[in-house]
Amino acid sequence: KAGVTQTPRYLIKTRGQQVTLSCSPISGHRSVSWYQQTPGQGLQFLFEYFSETQRNKGNFPGRFSGRQFSNSRSEMNVSTLELGDSALYLCASSLQAGTETQYFGPGTRLLVL
Amino acid sequence: DAKTTQPPSMDCAEGRAANLPCNHSTISGNEYVYWYRQIHSQGPQYIIHGLKNNETNEMASLIITEDRKSSTLILPHATLRDTAVYYCIVRDYYGGSQGNLIFGKGTKLSVKP
C-alpha cells in the first residue's frame, strides 16, 4: 500500500506570497493532520481534518488554513508568507480521527525569502 | 507542552541493543505511549505504541513500567540506519478533540560502528 504523499517536496517563495501544499493520505485513511517543523519550535500541530471537516486546530494564526476533499486528500494554504514560515510541513494520515496511529509523509520543505 | 522527558542524546554501538528511556510521570489511565523516529529531515516514522503491557513488533520492543510512569524503547540490534531522533509521546486513547501528537525534543540516537 502506498504511503502518504506530499507535493511539492520543495518550494521557494518570497515574503507576502501565498502557498498551497497538498497531501494524499494512505488509501482508506480518512483523517489528515498537518504539522510544522522548525529548528526553533520543533514539531507543532497545525490542524486535523476528518470527513472534510476541521475537528482540531493548533495555535497558529489565521494565515494558516486547510481543507479536505471528499476523497480525503487535503491541502493547506499559507497566505501573506513571512520569513518565519520557512519550515518542513508534514502531513500525517490515519484511519479515523483522534485515536488512530498517524503515519507521516515525507514533508514539503518551504523556504521563504 | 509535551508530557514526556527524554535524554537529549545517546550513543550506541552497532549491533548492540539500544535502550531509549522516557519518563511520563503524569500519564493518565487513558493515555497510550507512542514512539516515533525521524531520520534527518524525513517525516517521522511510527515505531510502536502501548498502553500498559509490553509490546513487540518487527522494529522494536516497548517496555512500560507497572506504574506506567516510564517506558523504554528497545532496538535489539542497532544498525547505522537507526541513527535518528526518537520521540516518546503520550496520547489520549479517547482522542476527543485532542487527537493530535504533541512532540517534545526527543532523543538523538547515534549508532556508531
Side-chain angles (χ1 to χ4, degrees):
Chain A
K1 189 183 278 191
V4 177
T5 58
Q6 293 187 245
T7 56
R9 294 292 311 280
Y10 304 92
L11 204 50
I12 299 175
K13 292 286 188 179
T14 56
R15 280 181 298 174
Q17 287 187 309
Q18 74 164 16
V19 67
T20 299
L21 311 181
S22 180
C23 171
S24 292
I26 293 170
S27 177
H29 284 196
R30 298 173 59 198
S31 176
V32 173
S33 297
W34 289 89
Y35 294 80
Q36 180 199 63
Q37 185 173 28
T38 60
Q41 299 298 318
L43 267 155
Q44 293 185 290
F45 171 74
L46 278 159
F47 25 65
E48 178 187 18
Y49 285 88
F50 177 74
S51 292
E52 302 177 65
T53 301
Q54 185 184 93
R55 65 182 298 276
N56 196 7
K57 188 178 192 302
N59 187 26
F60 278 82
R63 299 185 297 107
F64 292 82
S65 63
R67 58 178 176 168
Q68 186 181 34
F69 302 96
S70 58
N71 62 357
S72 296
R73 191 177 69 84
S74 177
E75 290 181 347
M76 67 162 283
N77 184 277
V78 187
S79 63
T80 319
L81 284 166
E82 301 177 359
L83 296 179
D85 297 331
S86 295
L88 180 66
Y89 290 88
L90 293 155
C91 165
S93 77
S94 56
L95 277 169
Q96 301 289 340
T99 62
E100 297 284 341
T101 298
Q102 295 185 8
Y103 297 90
F104 285 81
T108 294
R109 184 161 296 282
L110 171 66
L111 177 61
V112 182
L113 301 175
Chain B
D1 289 349
K3 298 176 67 174
T4 60
T5 303
Q6 299 177 253
S9 64
M10 292 182 63
D11 289 340
C12 177
E14 189 177 21
R16 304 295 294 270
N19 297 285
L20 291 94
C22 179
N23 182 287
H24 31 80
S25 58
T26 61
I27 193 170
S28 68
N30 298 330
E31 290 179 319
Y32 277 81
V33 178
Y34 274 78
W35 283 83
Y36 284 79
R37 73 181 182 183
Q38 187 174 27
I39 297 170
H40 183 63
S41 292
Q42 298 180 21
Q45 178 188 23
Y46 166 76
I47 302 173
I48 198 167
H49 73 282
L51 185 63
K52 57 177 71 175
N53 298 320
N54 298 337
E55 302 287 344
T56 296
N57 63 19
E58 64 279 4
M59 288 184 68
S61 294
L62 174 59
I63 308 298
I64 302 174
T65 58
E66 192 168 340
D67 63 7
R68 304 209 323 122
K69 293 185 177 183
S70 66
S71 61
T72 301
L73 178 75
I74 301 172
L75 307 179
H77 305 287
T79 71
L80 299 178
R81 288 178 295 181
D82 292 322
T83 292
V85 177
Y86 287 76
Y87 297 98
C88 170
I89 300 163
V90 295
R91 188 183 186 208
D92 191 338
Y93 171 81
Y94 291 107
S97 63
Q98 300 296 328
N100 54 288
L101 299 169
I102 301 175
F103 288 82
K105 296 188 184 303
T107 295
K108 174 77 169 81
L109 175 68
S110 298
V111 180
K112 300 182 183 299

